[in-house]
Amino acid sequence: MIRTRFAPSPNGQLHLGHAYAAVIAHDLARARGGAFQLRIEDIDGARSREDFVDDILADLTWLGLSWDGPVIRQSAHLTRFAEAGERLKAMGLLYPCACTRAEIAAAIAEHGAVLGPDGPIYPGTCRHREVSPEGAAWRLDIARAVALTGQLEWTDEVAGPQIATPQMFGDVVLLRKDLPASYHLAATLDDAADGITLVTRGMDLFAASHIHRLLQALLDLPVPVWHHHPLLVEPDGRKLAKRRGSPALADRRAAGEDGPALAEMLRAGRLPEGLAVSDYSGVPVGARNR
Ligand code: GLU
């Protein structure tokens, strides 16, 4: 049975782009007799808010989308992230990094930037130096990890078969200084633990799947299929954002708009307010800051 999920971070109100993503994840599951899960990615205590969680549940219900099982809270599984971190450390694949953003920027300015999907990659400053693990972040030694797994493949059901190229990210942070994990580690572990077989999300996270595939191989996790969907974009082609005037779903709901009718429009590709769907290759990867 297929199992999809919608995994919002409760650090703001949902907008039409989220509604579009939720409708896709929900409908893919329903069309194939599968299950649809709701996971709240709330490990960032400084940015997550309970009132946003309440809004997310109310928005999805208003849209007519029902999820299966309890709402999953990412923050309930912190030991999962720590255990995986310990395992990767024991494999010699993580190293502590004490660099500040300013130090990283200075090293890049000095030695030149290598561009990855999320911007210039980490220049490797701490890879070969003694760093106290106290208060440090932990980075994945990507070259060692890739040497260990060999070539990996994964499949996006829209874009087709892919050869994993996680090297393009450089040594990503897996355990953040300030949080129990990073997005890459937490999302990969949770998708596995929750039995997600079809990872649906926006194409701005397409490149991230190369890293997630590597983590699955390193941690002996099952490998799902991915479905990266296009994004809703403004008439000028830029990714939809609330700050550019797209109203929150909560505001539409409060204004008495018909939620199921809106979901139906999104399904049918009849997009309100001059919005468009990005073409599959049109949006630069790394639109998000991880
Ligand atoms: N929590 C992530 C976000 O809101 C989504 C992650 C995912 O779908 O993998 O950007």
Side-chain angles (χ1 to χ4, degrees):
M1 186 179 78
I2 79 148
R3 189 178 287 271
T4 68
R5 87 307 195 267
F6 176 57
S9 306
N11 52 24
Q13 287 179 319
L14 303 186
H15 56 57
L16 272 180
H18 297 106
Y20 185 67
V23 164
I24 289 175
H26 169 272
D27 289 8
L28 282 171
R30 296 286 175 253
R32 301 177 199 182
F36 169 63
Q37 265 185 13
L38 175 60
R39 180 171 79 228
I40 305 292
E41 300 210 324
D42 59 350
I43 54 172
D44 188 341
R47 298 179 68 211
S48 299
R49 279 178 25 192
E50 280 309 305
D51 53 327
F52 291 144
V53 176
D54 295 342
D55 276 337
I56 290 169
L57 305 192
D59 290 342
L60 295 180
T61 305
W62 169 71
L63 287 166
L65 305 180
S66 58
W67 55 90
D68 298 300
V71 176
I72 294 170
R73 303 289 290 232
Q74 190 158 62
S75 58
H77 305 290
L78 301 185
T79 51
R80 187 180 288 163
F81 311 141
E83 277 164 20
E86 290 311 312
R87 188 162 158 197
L88 293 169
K89 284 179 198 170
M91 292 164 78
L93 295 176
L94 301 192
Y95 63 87
C97 170
C99 290
T100 61
R101 278 172 201 267
E103 283 164 350
I104 296 174
I108 289 171
E110 194 180 331
H111 303 295
V114 177
L115 225 49
D118 290 339
I121 67 172
Y122 177 65
T125 318
C126 287
R127 195 184 304 127
H128 301 297
R129 74 176 182 190
E130 278 298 306
V131 173
S132 160
E134 201 61 43
W138 289 81
R139 289 183 179 274
L140 180 64
D141 185 328
I142 203 91
R144 279 179 104 135
V146 167
L148 195 67
T149 63
Q151 180 171 300
L152 298 168
E153 276 136 42
W154 57 279
T155 301
D156 178 281
E157 63 173 21
V158 185
Q162 308 289 319
I163 290 176
T165 52
Q167 307 85 316
M168 64 185 169
F169 279 90
D171 292 353
V172 285
V173 170
L174 291 190
L175 301 171
R176 285 175 43 164
K177 280 183 192 166
D178 52 336
L179 296 184
S182 70
Y183 160 70
H184 293 306
L185 186 63
T188 304
L189 289 169
D190 282 355
D191 282 338
D194 299 342
I196 302 302
T197 62
L198 183 63
V199 173
T200 68
R201 60 181 167 217
M203 57 191 279
D204 54 338
L205 286 169
F206 192 97
S209 300
H210 290 285
I211 291 281
H212 301 186
R213 178 67 189 89
L214 175 66
L215 293 175
Q216 286 153 3
L218 295 172
L219 294 165
D220 302 313
L221 302 173
V223 182
V225 172
W226 281 262
H227 180 116
H228 293 94
H229 55 77
L231 304 175
L232 291 196
V233 291
E234 310 261 355
D236 64 4
R238 287 192 299 171
K239 193 178 147 189
L240 191 66
K242 228 174 71 190
R243 64 177 179 283
R244 288 201 295 273
S246 178
L249 298 183
D251 295 337
R252 293 174 177 271
R253 182 160 50 80
E257 198 175 319
D258 183 338
L262 177 62
E264 210 41 55
M265 280 174 71
L266 294 172
R267 269 185 195 110
R270 281 185 281 112
L271 303 174
E273 293 140 35
L275 298 177
V277 166
S278 65
D279 94 34
Y280 202 74
S281 60
V283 171
V285 291
R288 301 181 189 204
N289 182 14
R290 301 276 160 206

